[in-house]
Amino acid sequence: MPPRNPLRIIPDGLFMIGLMVRSLLLRVLPCLAAMATLAIVPAQALDLYRSSVVAKIADEEIQLEEVLRYARSATHLTAYLHTPNGLPLILEDLIETRLLVREGQRLEMAREEKESDLGYARRVRDRLVKSCPTPSAEEARAFYDVHPEQFSTPRYTRARRIGIEASTPEQRETTRQQLLDLQEAITAGQTSFADAVAEVSQDPLGKDRQGDVGFFPQHPDYPDPLAEQLHAAAIDEFVGPAAQGDMMFLYQITDRHEPILEPFDEDVAQDAERAFKAHCFEERFERVLKELQERWPVEYPIPQLAPS
């Protein structure tokens, strides 16, 4: 995945919190009922909804077409056109850029010749957001103690799954019951998970591996609802059936690796110093954005697209 919006990069080049998967899928958009059936990635479905208003900044409407165009013009966002959770992230970046551009114009900051909105917004940000001081050794250690998740390996969960194609609401309901029946049969010992995969699964990822999809990390900063269910489930517990794209899946948890905290040595102390500054910058930038949104209120006609 590419890095987060360059507006969230500290001027000295340190990236803010890395962009992880968020929990917003296009199929939840209540005003786009057809998307509930499609439940596919933005690049495959958005042509149908280009005129949809997805946000408002004061009296300015932002249509889906503008969000797509913005993503295609920004290399750090292009990849998100091909992920199911990409649209909310692109929209958030676009809104931040538009707010900063508005503030630059209000402050009568001159634009350079052929300067992009993103480049201009970055200069406005640098003017508005004060740089963060280097923390003392004690402050860096305190940050490490308060935020151990930033200095630990992720929690990894391993799962296996059975996947069956179901592209319509009727097929989803039938498939849901089919997977529940399989879960009951597996639990009762009437069949094994591996046999069920061999007999009915249409999932190309795990079909040849008895349903195993391997380990996947937990991302607390950008939780995905299904992923969080899988991480919260006990070993051998079933999760689902869950709809993903044109498939319905039944998961079972098979293994887990808990986070391991790195000891506070010289290298980690330097990491804590950088993380402290990143956190400081993020907080200051968020305060600036809050002030800008008070000046130019942002509305989301589709609540699920609002930042969590």
Side-chain angles (χ1 to χ4, degrees):
M1 277 293 179
R4 187 64 195 276
N5 189 338
L7 295 173
R8 292 181 178 269
I9 300 175
I10 294 181
D12 66 6
L14 175 63
F15 283 111
M16 298 307 302
I17 299 170
L19 183 58
M20 301 299 181
V21 176
R22 280 191 182 179
S23 64
L24 294 169
L25 299 175
L26 289 176
R27 66 174 180 272
V28 303
L29 308 186
C31 69
L32 304 179
M35 194 72 85
T37 300
L38 293 173
I40 56 180
V41 300
Q44 295 173 306
L46 294 183
D47 284 346
L48 300 176
Y49 310 105
R50 289 179 183 275
S51 63
S52 300
V53 175
V54 293
K56 296 180 180 179
I57 303 177
D59 57 352
E60 173 192 6
E61 293 184 343
I62 298 178
Q63 295 183 343
L64 198 52
E65 171 62 25
E66 298 174 73
V67 181
L68 289 173
R69 188 165 56 248
Y70 176 74
R72 289 167 180 156
S73 68
T75 56
H76 68 286
L77 293 174
T78 304
Y80 300 131
L81 288 170
H82 305 283
T83 59
N85 59 332
L87 178 60
L89 296 171
I90 298 168
L91 178 60
E92 182 181 359
D93 282 358
L94 174 58
I95 288 173
E96 290 175 2
T97 298
R98 294 262 178 107
L99 286 169
L100 288 166
V101 167
R102 280 174 172 252
E103 181 65 2
Q105 293 170 342
R106 190 186 73 85
L107 296 173
E108 298 183 346
M109 286 182 58
R111 294 188 69 149
E112 298 175 359
E113 185 177 359
K114 297 182 179 180
E115 185 175 33
S116 67
D117 280 357
L118 187 57
Y120 182 65
R122 186 184 294 114
R123 289 199 298 113
V124 176
R125 175 214 62 188
D126 292 347
R127 174 172 170 174
L128 298 176
V129 183
K130 296 180 180 180
S131 60
C132 294
T134 299
S136 65
E138 293 75 17
E139 288 174 324
R141 178 57 196 250
F143 186 86
Y144 167 88
D145 291 336
V146 173
H147 302 278
E149 71 284 352
Q150 293 198 32
F151 308 95
S152 302
T153 60
R155 187 185 208 207
Y156 283 91
T157 296
R158 188 173 191 172
R160 54 187 178 183
R161 69 185 187 183
I162 302 168
I164 301 176
E165 293 181 2
S167 59
T168 69
E170 294 78 12
Q171 290 174 337
R172 285 172 185 260
E173 186 57 36
T174 300
T175 302
R176 180 184 300 277
Q177 188 57 53
Q178 181 183 0
L179 290 170
L180 289 174
D181 291 343
L182 281 172
Q183 176 181 334
E184 184 177 344
I186 294 169
T187 302
Q190 299 171 356
T191 188
S192 68
F193 201 100
D195 287 343
V197 169
E199 291 173 8
V200 305
S201 185
Q202 299 169 307
D203 174 28
L205 181 60
K207 177 71 172 180
D208 297 329
R209 298 185 297 175
Q210 298 183 334
D212 180 41
V213 293
F215 284 95
F216 51 93
Q218 186 175 25
H219 302 305
D221 293 320
Y222 298 98
D224 173 89
L226 176 57
E228 288 305 295
Q229 289 183 53
L230 295 171
H231 287 297
I235 302 296
D236 294 330
E237 185 176 346
F238 288 92
V239 176
Q244 292 177 276
D246 289 336
M247 303 280 288
M248 293 285 292
F249 292 100
L250 176 67
Y251 288 85
Q252 187 180 35
I253 307 305
T254 59
D255 199 359
R256 177 166 290 121
H257 294 165
E258 296 297 338
I260 300 174
L261 178 65
E262 296 185 57
F264 192 82
D265 56 19
E266 184 177 344
D267 290 337
V268 173
Q270 293 178 357
D271 291 340
E273 179 181 300
R274 290 190 290 267
F276 178 98
K277 293 182 69 176
H279 184 76
C280 168
F281 183 85
E282 176 76 9
E283 287 186 330
R284 292 184 178 187
F285 187 38
E286 289 297 334
R287 286 197 292 270
V288 167
L289 289 175
K290 183 177 180 180
E291 292 174 2
L292 296 182
Q293 290 192 35
E294 289 175 354
R295 182 170 291 125
W296 298 291
V298 178
E299 299 178 23
Y300 295 87
I302 303 171
Q304 289 83 356
L305 292 182
S308 56

